[in-house]
Amino acid sequence: MGTKLEHTNLGGFQQILEQQQVELVHVLRVRDGIAIEKSADPMDEIQYATERDLAIHSADLESNLLRDVRAALRRIRDGTFGTCVECEAAISPKRLAALPWAMRCIECQDAADGDRQERTETLDEILVGA
Ligand SMILES: [Zn+2]
Protein backbone atom coordinates (compact mmCIF):
# COMPACT_ATOMS: atom_id res chain seq x y z
CA MET A 1 0.00 0.00 0.00
CA GLY A 2 2.86 2.38 0.78
CA THR A 3 0.64 4.34 3.17
CA LYS A 4 2.36 3.20 6.37
CA LEU A 5 4.44 5.89 7.99
CA GLU A 6 8.17 5.42 8.24
CA HIS A 7 9.30 4.39 11.68
CA THR A 8 11.67 7.36 11.92
CA ASN A 9 8.81 9.65 10.98
CA LEU A 10 6.72 8.22 13.79
CA GLY A 11 9.50 8.96 16.27
CA GLY A 12 9.47 12.57 15.09
CA PHE A 13 5.72 12.85 15.66
CA GLN A 14 6.07 11.28 19.08
CA GLN A 15 8.69 13.87 20.01
CA ILE A 16 6.49 16.74 18.77
CA LEU A 17 3.45 15.37 20.61
CA GLU A 18 5.34 14.80 23.86
CA GLN A 19 6.68 18.34 23.73
CA GLN A 20 3.17 19.64 22.99
CA GLN A 21 1.85 17.70 25.95
CA VAL A 22 4.43 19.21 28.32
CA GLU A 23 3.65 22.72 27.04
CA LEU A 24 -0.11 22.29 27.37
CA VAL A 25 0.17 20.94 30.90
CA HIS A 26 2.33 23.95 31.77
CA VAL A 27 -0.07 26.46 30.15
CA LEU A 28 -3.07 24.89 31.88
CA ARG A 29 -1.30 25.07 35.23
CA VAL A 30 -0.50 28.78 34.73
CA ARG A 31 -4.12 29.42 33.63
CA ASP A 32 -5.38 27.72 36.77
CA GLY A 33 -3.35 30.27 38.71
CA ILE A 34 -5.06 33.16 36.88
CA ALA A 35 -8.49 31.60 37.32
CA ILE A 36 -8.31 31.61 41.12
CA GLU A 37 -6.70 35.06 41.42
CA LYS A 38 -8.85 37.49 43.44
CA SER A 39 -8.83 41.22 44.09
CA ALA A 40 -10.50 43.37 46.76
CA ASP A 41 -10.91 46.31 44.34
CA PRO A 42 -14.32 46.08 42.56
CA MET A 43 -12.93 47.59 39.32
CA ASP A 44 -10.07 45.12 39.39
CA GLU A 45 -12.56 42.42 40.16
CA ILE A 46 -14.45 43.17 36.92
CA GLN A 47 -11.19 43.11 35.00
CA TYR A 48 -10.23 39.85 36.65
CA ALA A 49 -13.63 38.34 35.94
CA THR A 50 -13.16 39.09 32.22
CA GLU A 51 -9.66 37.66 32.22
CA ARG A 52 -10.90 34.69 34.19
CA ASP A 53 -13.68 34.02 31.65
CA LEU A 54 -11.18 34.25 28.79
CA ALA A 55 -8.73 32.05 30.65
CA ILE A 56 -11.38 29.45 31.38
CA HIS A 57 -12.55 29.51 27.77
CA SER A 58 -9.08 28.99 26.34
CA ALA A 59 -8.28 26.46 29.08
CA ASP A 60 -11.24 24.50 27.70
CA LEU A 61 -9.72 24.58 24.22
CA GLU A 62 -6.33 23.63 25.61
CA SER A 63 -7.63 20.75 27.69
CA ASN A 64 -9.43 19.45 24.60
CA LEU A 65 -6.17 19.73 22.67
CA LEU A 66 -4.29 18.03 25.50
CA ARG A 67 -6.77 15.18 25.36
CA ASP A 68 -6.21 14.86 21.59
CA VAL A 69 -2.43 15.00 22.01
CA ARG A 70 -2.56 12.24 24.64
CA ALA A 71 -4.83 10.15 22.43
CA ALA A 72 -2.36 10.58 19.53
CA LEU A 73 0.52 9.40 21.74
CA ARG A 74 -1.58 6.39 22.68
CA ARG A 75 -2.18 5.68 18.98
CA ILE A 76 1.56 5.85 18.31
CA ARG A 77 2.04 3.19 21.00
CA ASP A 78 -0.67 0.87 19.71
CA GLY A 79 0.35 1.39 16.07
CA THR A 80 -2.83 3.07 14.78
CA PHE A 81 -1.30 6.55 14.52
CA GLY A 82 -1.86 8.18 11.11
CA THR A 83 -5.01 6.14 10.48
CA CYS A 84 -8.45 7.76 10.47
CA VAL A 85 -10.54 6.54 13.45
CA GLU A 86 -13.71 6.71 11.32
CA CYS A 87 -12.89 5.20 7.93
CA GLU A 88 -9.42 3.72 8.68
CA ALA A 89 -7.89 5.48 5.67
CA ALA A 90 -4.39 6.88 6.03
CA ILE A 91 -4.41 10.52 7.13
CA SER A 92 -2.41 12.61 4.65
CA PRO A 93 1.18 13.33 5.79
CA LYS A 94 0.55 17.02 5.10
CA ARG A 95 -2.39 17.02 7.54
CA LEU A 96 -0.35 15.18 10.17
CA ALA A 97 2.53 17.62 9.76
CA ALA A 98 0.14 20.50 10.51
CA LEU A 99 -1.93 18.65 13.15
CA PRO A 100 0.03 15.67 14.54
CA TRP A 101 -2.88 14.94 16.91
CA ALA A 102 -5.46 14.71 14.08
CA MET A 103 -7.45 11.50 14.52
CA ARG A 104 -9.64 11.79 11.42
CA CYS A 105 -8.90 12.24 7.74
CA ILE A 106 -10.01 15.58 6.34
CA GLU A 107 -13.26 14.14 4.89
CA CYS A 108 -14.34 12.54 8.17
CA GLN A 109 -13.34 15.66 10.13
CA ASP A 110 -15.47 17.83 7.84
CA ALA A 111 -18.36 15.41 8.28
CA ALA A 112 -17.90 15.41 12.08
CA ASP A 113 -17.78 19.23 12.19
CA GLY A 114 -20.91 19.39 10.03
CA ASP A 115 -22.68 16.98 12.38
CA ARG A 116 -21.77 19.05 15.38
CA GLN A 117 -23.07 22.23 13.74
CA GLU A 118 -26.36 20.59 12.85
CA ARG A 119 -26.71 19.25 16.36
CA THR A 120 -26.09 22.73 17.82
CA GLU A 121 -28.74 24.21 15.54
CA THR A 122 -31.20 21.54 16.58
CA LEU A 123 -30.41 22.21 20.24
CA ASP A 124 -30.99 25.94 19.65
CA GLU A 125 -34.37 25.16 18.11
CA ILE A 126 -35.28 23.05 21.11
CA LEU A 127 -34.26 25.86 23.45
CA VAL A 128 -36.20 28.47 21.45
CA GLY A 129 -39.26 26.21 21.44
CA ALA A 130 -39.06 25.60 25.21
ZN1 LIG B 1 -11.74 9.11 7.49
Side-chain angles (χ1 to χ4, degrees):
M1 289 259 284
T3 50
K4 277 246 183 281
L5 287 164
E6 296 280 330
H7 193 72
T8 44
N9 220 347
L10 213 53
F13 280 125
Q14 185 170 3
Q15 212 175 349
I16 292 166
L17 286 164
E18 275 168 359
Q19 198 182 332
Q20 186 86 37
Q21 181 175 238
V22 170
E23 274 170 26
L24 283 169
V25 168
H26 175 74
V27 166
L28 284 168
R29 221 171 266 155
V30 172
R31 289 271 155 75
D32 272 355
I34 296 171
I36 56 170
E37 204 164 346
K38 276 256 170 195
S39 172
D41 187 320
M43 284 311 285
D44 274 2
E45 184 54 42
I46 292 165
Q47 177 72 24
Y48 273 128
T50 309
E51 278 173 21
R52 200 157 51 215
D53 285 349
L54 287 174
I56 288 167
H57 181 66
S58 59
D60 269 358
L61 293 178
E62 266 138 11
S63 37
N64 283 341
L65 184 56
L66 182 59
R67 199 190 50 210
D68 288 351
V69 165
R70 282 184 171 148
L73 283 166
R74 223 169 21 240
R75 288 199 303 278
I76 286 179
R77 276 196 300 273
D78 68 21
T80 57
F81 181 80
T83 306
C84 175
V85 294
E86 302 278 350
C87 69
E88 296 186 353
I91 301 171
S92 83
K94 215 192 269 180
R95 178 164 167 75
L96 285 177
L99 299 167
W101 50 87
M103 60 178 89
R104 291 184 182 92
C105 69
I106 202 108
E107 285 84 6
C108 291
Q109 187 61 58
D110 278 354
D113 288 349
D115 270 8
R116 213 173 348 225
Q117 244 155 34
E118 275 167 38
R119 233 173 280 148
T120 312
E121 275 161 27
T122 315
L123 185 63
D124 281 348
E125 279 165 27
I126 294 166
L127 289 175
V128 167

